[in-house]
Amino acid sequence: MCKNQLLNRQKLNSHNVKKQKLRNFYKKSIWPSIVLFLFFIISCAAMPVSFAGIFKEYLLDSQTAVIYDDAQKAGKFLVNRMRREDESILESAAVLERYLGESNGLCVTDEDGYVLFQTGETVPDFERIQGVTAAEGYIFIPETEQGQDNAFTMTSWDFLLRCMGTLPKSYDRHRKWLDNVILRESYWTEVPAELPGLHVYYKDEVMLLQKHIYFIAVALMAEAAFLMVPIILLFINVLSSIGMQKRMVNLLYLDTSTGGNNWIYFQQKCRRILCQFRNASSTYAMVSLHMFRFEDYCACHGSREGEGLLENISSYLQVNMECGETFARFAKADFGILLRCDSDRMTEKRLKKLLAELTGVQKDRGISFCAGLYLIEPQTDGKMHEIQRRRQLDIDQIYHYASAARGMVGEKKGTHIKVFDQQILEEQLWKLKVEEQMEAALLNREFQMYLQPKYDPVTEKIVGAEALVRWISPDEGMISPNRFIPIFEENGFITRLDDYMISAVAKLQSEWKIQGKKQVPVSVNVSRANFTRTDLAQHICRLTDSYGADRSMIELELTESAFFGDKNILQQILKELKMYGFCIDMDDFGTGYSSLNSLKDLPIDVLKLDTDFFRGSDSNGRGEIVVMETIRLAKKLNMKIVAEGIEKKEQVDFLAAQGCDMIQGYYFSKPVPVSEFEKKVQEQ
Ligand code: C2E
Ligand code: CA
Ligand code: CA
């Protein structure tokens, strides 16, 4: 596995761990406060209930205590009266009855519970009757004097009247309202008088008055007011902590460069949108938007300006997003966008417009954009099944598919859009495979040198060769350079391969020399990537000299693109190479950009006319004129001419007539292994 992949995997892992931590943080931080708050509310609710209970108990107790007291007094009254007037209990009870109010009652029974005297209609429920507590004791008939007895009677009498509420009182309206009876309950109690063979019972009423309710309500309100303070404080605390956590979560979702949402938010939002029931049958497009030359822009204007640029793009995208769409910056100048997709064409059209407008907005900054698309189409019949399927989608992976499609656009100018398809995936997989295996392949000598002969068109003899690499893979067989050279050029491995090929050519030349075989010049391709090193000439010298090869027998082929770097450095390197005795070939002359100017400035020995000159029909003969004039130009500049890709006899004859020096093409020979090439040379 290559280093990049490992790094990516590590990044992905740490990304997932971060996401998990964030989720845990969110869960952990909010719930304790909420639980605490609920607990507090419940205890607050429980307190008034308990308060009401206590209050009720107290209310009842105080009322029953008064009734016990009255019962005692009634007992004393009866005993005194019986003694003083020498009356029977029934006579005394009848006297007492006259003074009792409507709500009071008296009942006298014998030992067996037989009722001897009773006021009113209700008889006490003897089983439920409560007596005065033992501590209060029973009333014994005291040996008192007449006056004292009267005084006692009067006191008891007054007290009794007062207790029974029969004394006249001046009620005002308010007082009346307060004394409204809400609940009235008869309460019998045994009178604690020692009357042998008799039991006396006394009845009064326990009442719940309006004022009691009023007091309870006031007390409750006071308690509630008292409790409100901590409740409000706790509520404020919970609110502020929720607010703080929200702010923190917002921070975690913030992309500091654009001021918009970051990638974690984007992933979550995408999943939410895609898995919504109403969206399950809609098609979505994941877009990977890339801005070209962002690094160059930052290098020229500074990173702050660069961030400003990203901010502008983010604001522009924000304005252009519709409901159920989202976007975020992925990295550097790459944005992920989730678009609702009515049809492929409409989406492409919309995206093209978006890119064109973005380019227009950033016009004076010389910046352009490209995009890759991955379509998320509903694949199952039922919405529920589709939701299940979408839950499994890896948003990152989908974005990478879109990026892979975008990568296919390359560095082309203009607003380019590419839709992801299976072929792109296969190419990506191939790229990965190549990158995984290239190091080992180089060590295992899986790269082999093939030679394509260059012929003299007149004598038809081999006068040179081009070294072309072939990858002989144990799994894949022979792999053509077109399948791996572009990948190596992208990842920089091409310089290692070029070194390997230069060494192979040098080794071959020195072997031919040692073995006394016929030596022909062999050209080898030197990629543009090599020209970043200023000591390239010395480096190539070291490689060839280590085999003791004849430098004049080695030609270095440079593609036209190499001529677009720093011209001064290139000129310097080429001068040095020539000084060391190498021949310089300009490869693929005529493709891409015109490098006529380079012919003037650079010390080139050989011009290789590209295959394109000889492809397609040339009915009006214009192609021939161009080839003719190019050959004449090269001759005038003292350069040799090699025509590439020659497959037909007429082409050979035409080129021979024009004075073309060498011909390389399938007409004579395809690239062949070294042994076969040597055989061809020997045969002639
Ligand atoms: P190139 O340098 O232009 O090489 C010529 C290519 O044209 C070779 O393809 C050759 O097989 C092909 N060719 C030659 N005659 C004909 C013909 O008559 N008809 C057709 N259709 N094709 C012809 P090949 O070997 O597949 O190499 C492709 C490209 O890969 C090369 O283009 C070169 O740019 C690159 N390459 C190959 N080997 C190396 C290498 O060792 N180092 C570097 N840097 N690049 C290499
Ligand atoms: Ca070449
Ligand atoms: Ca070529």
Side-chain angles (χ1 to χ4, degrees):
M1 189 180 294
C2 75
K3 206 171 150 195
N4 278 354
Q5 267 181 297
L6 268 176
L7 278 174
N8 281 346
R9 198 161 285 180
Q10 274 172 0
K11 258 190 208 170
L12 206 74
N13 282 346
S14 74
H15 187 63
N16 286 340
V17 170
K18 259 193 222 165
K19 270 199 299 188
Q20 193 55 44
K21 273 188 185 166
L22 186 69
R23 253 182 248 143
N24 290 348
F25 163 77
Y26 193 78
K27 275 186 204 160
K28 274 184 198 160
S29 53
I30 292 275
W31 289 113
S33 304
I34 290 177
V35 168
L36 200 74
F37 184 69
L38 288 177
F39 179 74
F40 189 75
I41 292 283
I42 291 166
S43 28
C44 286
M47 276 175 81
V49 173
S50 64
F51 177 83
I54 292 162
F55 197 84
K56 184 176 154 272
E57 281 297 307
Y58 163 77
L59 208 84
L60 269 179
D61 282 359
S62 63
Q63 288 203 17
T64 49
V66 171
I67 294 170
Y68 288 144
D69 206 24
D70 288 350
Q72 248 179 339
K73 296 228 165 62
K76 280 180 187 169
F77 179 85
L78 283 177
V79 171
N80 267 351
R81 177 101 193 158
M82 280 164 70
R83 240 182 110 77
R84 208 180 58 226
E85 304 290 336
D86 199 15
E87 285 176 352
S88 71
I89 180 77
L90 298 180
E91 286 164 334
S92 295
V95 174
L96 180 58
E97 186 202 351
R98 265 184 270 141
Y99 299 110
L100 292 178
E102 276 177 30
S103 60
N104 304 99
L106 205 64
C107 179
V108 181
T109 66
D110 63 9
E111 280 276 75
D112 305 324
Y114 181 75
V115 177
L116 303 174
F117 176 87
Q118 180 199 335
T119 60
E121 282 154 25
T122 53
V123 184
D125 177 356
F126 294 112
E127 278 178 13
R128 286 181 58 202
I129 279 178
Q130 304 189 22
V132 178
T133 51
E136 289 177 59
Y138 279 82
I139 304 160
F140 295 95
I141 300 158
E143 295 294 327
T144 51
E145 290 185 15
Q146 192 72 28
Q148 278 176 324
D149 189 31
N150 267 345
F152 176 77
T153 312
M154 281 312 289
T155 322
S156 305
W157 171 242
D158 286 347
F159 194 80
L160 198 69
L161 285 178
R162 189 166 52 76
C163 288
M164 291 170 186
T166 50
L167 276 180
K169 283 176 189 162
S170 57
Y171 293 112
D172 55 19
R173 262 206 206 147
H174 181 63
R175 188 82 204 161
K176 263 185 192 165
W177 179 82
L178 283 175
D179 286 340
N180 276 351
V181 178
I182 291 179
L183 204 82
R184 194 189 286 270
E185 189 72 46
S186 292
Y187 187 86
W188 282 97
T189 184
E190 188 174 355
V191 173
E194 195 148 282
L195 298 163
L198 292 169
H199 289 286
V200 183
Y201 301 97
Y202 173 75
K203 182 191 92 173
D204 204 344
E205 281 178 335
V206 176
M207 283 181 286
L208 185 66
L209 302 181
Q210 194 115 342
K211 68 180 172 197
H212 295 143
I213 298 290
Y214 181 71
F215 289 147
I216 290 173
V218 169
L220 274 177
M221 272 158 66
E223 191 181 350
F226 179 71
L227 282 173
M228 248 4 230
V229 178
I231 288 177
I232 290 170
L233 283 180
L234 191 70
F235 191 65
I236 291 170
N237 185 276
V238 168
L239 277 187
S240 72
S241 73
I242 288 174
M244 212 164 79
Q245 274 154 15
K246 268 199 167 170
R247 275 202 296 280
M248 276 178 76
V249 169
N250 282 348
L251 263 179
L252 287 166
Y253 285 145
L254 179 77
D255 175 26
T256 45
S257 296
T258 61
N261 294 314
N262 64 12
W263 196 251
I264 301 172
Y265 174 86
F266 178 74
Q267 286 172 314
Q268 291 179 3
K269 187 76 197 270
C270 281
R271 195 156 289 125
R272 235 178 293 148
I273 293 172
L274 291 172
C275 296
Q276 261 174 17
F277 187 75
R278 62 193 157 105
N279 296 338
S281 51
S282 311
T283 303
Y284 279 85
M286 174 66 80
V287 180
S288 164
L289 176 77
H290 174 72
M291 175 165 59
F292 288 118
R293 299 183 56 223
F294 178 64
E295 281 91 350
D296 294 352
Y297 183 85
C298 288
C300 294
H301 303 281
S303 51
R304 196 167 282 181
E305 275 279 314
E307 283 193 356
L309 183 62
L310 293 176
E311 220 176 292
N312 280 354
I313 296 169
S314 178
S315 323
Y316 176 81
L317 290 175
Q318 186 68 60
V319 172
N320 282 278
M321 288 298 104
E322 286 172 10
C323 182
E325 297 181 341
T326 186
F327 78 95
R329 195 174 67 96
F330 176 70
K332 283 188 186 166
D334 292 345
F335 287 80
I337 311 172
L338 185 76
L339 292 182
R340 228 190 147 90
C341 185
D342 297 326
S343 73
D344 307 5
R345 287 180 101 208
M346 285 294 288
T347 310
E348 269 193 59
K349 211 169 149 192
R350 184 176 162 204
L351 205 57
K352 270 210 167 124
K353 188 170 160 258
L354 206 98
L355 294 194
E357 279 177 9
L358 262 175
T359 310
V361 171
Q362 316 297 338
K363 204 170 167 186
D364 31 328
R365 306 188 187 200
I367 274 168
S368 59
F369 298 84
C370 69
L373 264 182
Y374 178 87
L375 293 175
I376 308 162
E377 289 166 320
Q379 282 176 15
T380 49
D381 296 338
K383 278 193 173 193
M384 289 318 289
H385 282 117
E386 181 59 21
I387 290 173
Q388 286 294 335
R389 191 187 71 84
R390 286 188 176 182
R391 280 206 186 113
Q392 313 297 322
L393 289 180
D394 182 345
I395 301 295
D396 269 353
Q397 187 59 45
I398 292 172
Y399 173 76
H400 289 310
Y401 286 153
S403 296
R406 195 248 296 149
M408 293 292 146
V409 172
E411 296 280 312
K412 284 182 227 158
K413 286 250 168 196
T415 51
H416 292 281
I417 295 169
K418 181 106 184 134
V419 182
F420 178 86
D421 57 26
Q422 202 53 34
Q423 199 192 333
I424 291 174
L425 182 64
E426 275 161 20
E427 278 176 35
Q428 287 295 316
L429 288 173
W430 172 250
K431 191 175 159 190
L432 268 181
K433 195 170 176 183
V434 166
E435 287 183 336
E436 267 176 24
Q437 295 180 354
M438 59 191 189
E439 294 275 356
L442 193 67
L443 279 176
N444 300 338
R445 304 195 162 270
E446 287 174 23
F447 295 108
Q448 286 188 14
M449 181 174 66
Y450 272 47
L451 294 174
Q452 186 175 30
K454 293 173 189 167
Y455 284 82
D456 182 317
V458 184
T459 61
E460 298 202 349
K461 289 203 167 151
I462 295 174
V463 286
E466 178 178 0
L468 294 160
V469 71
R470 297 288 178 268
W471 184 349
I472 316 290
S473 156
D475 327 319
E476 304 276 333
M478 186 194 282
I479 308 169
S480 149
N482 292 326
R483 292 191 68 201
F484 58 86
I485 295 282
I487 300 173
F488 291 175
E489 276 174 343
E490 205 182 306
N491 64 25
F493 191 70
I494 191 70
T495 53
R496 307 254 316 265
L497 183 75
D498 282 354
D499 285 358
Y500 175 82
M501 288 296 284
I502 293 167
S503 304
V505 170
K507 190 172 169 229
L508 184 69
Q509 287 289 10
S510 99
E511 277 171 8
W512 282 344
K513 197 163 112 184
I514 293 164
Q515 291 163 10
K517 287 182 180 166
K518 185 176 179 333
Q519 264 183 284
V520 288
V522 177
S523 62
V524 60
N525 293 286
V526 182
S527 276
R528 180 186 175 169
N530 290 289
F531 288 86
T532 49
R533 57 187 299 174
T534 43
D535 67 336
L536 181 67
Q538 292 77 15
H539 174 68
I540 293 177
C541 258
R542 275 196 295 274
L543 288 177
T544 53
D545 290 359
S546 63
Y547 292 98
D550 203 344
R551 290 180 201 160
S552 61
M553 284 291 157
I554 298 171
E555 291 178 15
L556 303 170
E557 289 194 15
L558 274 69
T559 47
E560 266 195 86
S561 62
F563 294 81
F564 281 89
D566 186 331
K567 228 173 192 163
N568 291 334
I569 295 176
L570 185 71
Q571 217 162 7
Q572 180 63 30
I573 293 172
L574 293 189
K575 259 188 202 163
E576 285 170 5
L577 284 169
K578 271 199 72 82
M579 197 182 75
Y580 290 132
F582 295 103
C583 237
I584 311 292
D585 295 9
M586 189 196 259
D587 200 0
D588 304 336
F589 182 78
T591 55
Y593 307 98
S594 167
S595 47
L596 280 175
N597 217 23
S598 312
L599 294 182
K600 173 171 73 75
D601 300 328
L602 299 170
I604 296 156
D605 302 296
V606 180
L607 208 64
K608 292 191 80 177
L609 294 182
D610 190 70
T611 332
D612 275 4
F613 280 111
F614 311 101
R615 292 281 165 269
S617 71
D618 185 28
S619 49
N620 50 16
R622 288 170 77 94
E624 285 190 349
I625 298 169
V626 174
V627 173
M628 251 158 53
E629 292 307 316
T630 312
I631 293 173
R632 268 181 53 181
L633 175 73
K635 293 262 165 208
K636 278 188 186 162
L637 290 171
N638 235 358
M639 294 173 186
K640 288 200 162 176
I641 291 274
V642 179
E644 278 191 284
I646 305 303
E647 294 178 346
K648 295 177 193 145
K649 172 93 175 88
E650 312 89 79
Q651 289 172 333
V652 178
D653 293 342
F654 167 73
L655 288 164
Q658 298 311 315
C660 178
D661 302 292
M662 282 168 271
I663 284 185
Q664 180 185 344
Y666 292 174
Y667 174 74
F668 287 115
S669 170
K670 286 192 170 186
V672 290
V674 174
S675 55
E676 212 173 300
F677 178 81
E678 286 173 344
K679 225 196 264 171
K680 279 179 191 279
V681 174
Q682 266 178 5
E683 277 168 10
Q684 65 184 22

